[in-house]
Amino acid sequence: MTTPPYDVPDLAIRPMRPTDVPAAERLSAEGFHELDSRMFRRSWPEPQPRSEARGAGWVARTLHLLETDPGGCWVAEDGTGMVGVATSFNREKLWCLATYAVRPGLQGRGIGRSLLAAALHHGRGSLRGMLSSSSDPKAVRRYRMAGFSLHPQMFLTGTVDRSAIPVVEKVRDGTAGDFELMDSVDRRTRGAAHGSDHQLMLGLWRLIVSDTSTGSGYAYLDGTGVALLAATNRRTAARLLWTALADAGDEASVFHITAANEWAIDVGLAARLELHTEGYLGLRGMTPPTPYLHNGALL
Ligand SMILES: CC(C)(COP(=O)(O)OP(=O)(O)OC[C@H]1O[C@@H](n2cnc3c(N)ncnc32)[C@H](O)[C@@H]1OP(=O)(O)O)[C@@H](O)C(=O)NCCC(=O)NCCS
């Protein structure tokens, strides 16, 4: 472990440009693959490099954030080129960290500290903060030192017991016409709308909506589970999650479950999925949203 001062000659932190995004995507993919291989537990599936489709999603998201929040997206470079990235954004009075990675081999030398400081500065006008942390002890240390409360995350994974799936009614496919409703559900659950992020997510995933006289909610389905789910009550949330599990292939995974969202654990266990832990939801100025399953990057 290296302690400050740092031994990275010619280190510069500068705003990210759209032309940086493909190299930033590769750097982040390498950083997370190295992390997954390092933290790998034998009971889990073998870590795989990021797929081309997921890489394309990463690029689309980062180009979107560069448009909405150019001041929140930063790269670190030295004489050899790009060595780190951090992207962040403000939605209403909520600051979120989307991506944070330093090139493997150069971690633990203070590059991440400088990058996070630049991203946090972008959120200085926001009352609340939200991020989804990996289990990397270096990331966890950075976030706690920046004042984030760390809420352990669980995830469900395994083969869905199809015979356990109930008949679910009052769930339909969503469209851009639902964004206003969805923004109001976001404000109730996480205190800030997703705004223009919904347009991006609609292009990436299938949207389902439930809107009845007793509750409203929505979820984006990524084929194996949910990419994001928000609802005004647990009953609506459970209905959406069951629909997601019915929509998934035989192997399903549902990530980013905090202890405040036991309704999701109950659905997953009823579907005979396994429960594990991984990473933290980092929060500043707010309590864990519920009923809510956050997205890892768009929160
Ligand atoms: C998280 C990450 C971006 C941080 O960047 P970094 O350049 O490594 O961070 P820094 O060197 O500035 O800070 C790391 C801190 O952890 C400490 N540290 C280093 N090795 C450590 C270890 N094995 N265990 C615990 N702490 C460690 C460092 O001393 C430093 O703390 P200090 O500045 O208070 O002394 C980088 O490590 C990374 O890319 N990790 C893999 C991807 C990842 O998990 N990203 C976060 C996604 S949420």
Side-chain angles (χ1 to χ4, degrees):
M1 193 161 97
T2 313
T3 46
Y6 313 109
D7 54 350
V8 186
D10 307 325
L11 183 70
I13 308 291
R14 63 156 175 84
M16 186 183 281
R17 297 185 281 260
T19 48
D20 292 320
V21 174
E25 190 281 320
R26 281 296 87 208
L27 192 154
S28 125
E30 278 164 34
F32 282 98
H33 187 55
E34 190 274 337
L35 173 71
D36 289 347
S37 309
R38 187 160 25 102
M39 310 293 279
F40 173 60
R41 295 182 214 169
R42 235 183 266 163
S43 59
W44 294 5
E46 190 89 29
Q48 298 297 325
R50 185 182 291 163
S51 68
E52 225 173 274
R54 283 196 58 216
W58 196 101
V59 166
R61 185 183 75 224
T62 305
L63 289 171
H64 163 75
L65 294 180
L66 271 175
E67 262 182 38
T68 62
D69 294 73
C73 304
W74 296 85
V75 301
E77 59 187 7
D78 67 5
T80 68
M82 192 184 296
V83 294
V85 292
T87 61
S88 70
F89 56 96
N90 293 300
R91 295 292 173 265
E92 299 176 344
K93 288 286 172 200
L94 174 70
W95 174 87
C96 300
L97 183 68
T99 295
Y100 183 38
V102 165
R103 192 175 289 292
L106 288 175
Q107 296 171 2
R109 300 185 188 186
I111 300 172
R113 183 203 285 236
S114 306
L115 275 171
L116 188 61
L120 281 166
H121 186 70
H122 181 61
R124 65 198 177 283
S126 280
L127 304 171
R128 296 179 293 278
M130 198 169 172
L131 56 86
S132 187
S133 174
S134 68
S135 297
D136 189 332
K138 299 186 285 303
V140 176
R141 180 174 173 85
R142 283 273 68 88
Y143 299 146
R144 182 62 200 137
M145 309 269 293
F148 284 83
S149 294
L150 300 166
H151 302 271
Q153 291 173 162
M154 293 167 264
F155 69 96
L156 294 153
T157 191
T159 308
V160 177
D161 177 357
R162 301 248 140 217
S163 69
I165 300 176
V167 176
V168 177
E169 288 172 335
K170 300 175 188 161
V171 175
R172 58 172 171 81
D173 279 300
T175 67
D178 293 303
F179 288 172
E180 210 172 302
L181 169 76
M182 292 155 63
D183 277 341
S184 79
V185 176
D186 291 338
R187 287 192 191 99
R188 270 180 70 162
T189 47
R190 70 163 199 176
H194 279 88
S196 63
D197 302 336
H198 279 307
Q199 193 62 54
L200 173 79
M201 290 191 276
L202 187 59
L204 295 174
W205 303 304
R206 178 181 166 205
L207 172 64
I208 56 169
V209 170
S210 181
D211 186 23
T212 70
S213 55
T214 52
S216 313
Y218 70 89
Y220 288 100
L221 314 188
D222 62 8
T224 57
V226 291
L228 172 66
L229 185 155
T232 57
N233 60 37
R234 290 193 294 271
R235 195 191 173 94
T236 307
R239 207 183 273 151
L240 291 162
L241 186 53
W242 274 119
T243 307
L245 294 181
D247 181 77
D250 282 345
E251 295 300 306
S253 297
V254 179
F255 295 98
H256 307 140
I257 306 169
T258 59
N261 286 287
E262 280 182 336
W263 61 270
I265 297 174
D266 293 340
V267 168
L269 294 182
R272 303 211 71 84
L273 298 179
E274 294 177 3
L275 186 65
H276 299 274
T277 58
E278 169 65 14
Y280 304 84
L281 173 62
L283 296 177
R284 244 169 39 169
M286 60 190 282
T287 53
T290 180
Y292 197 82
L293 302 176
H294 56 274
N295 177 261
L298 294 169
L299 283 313

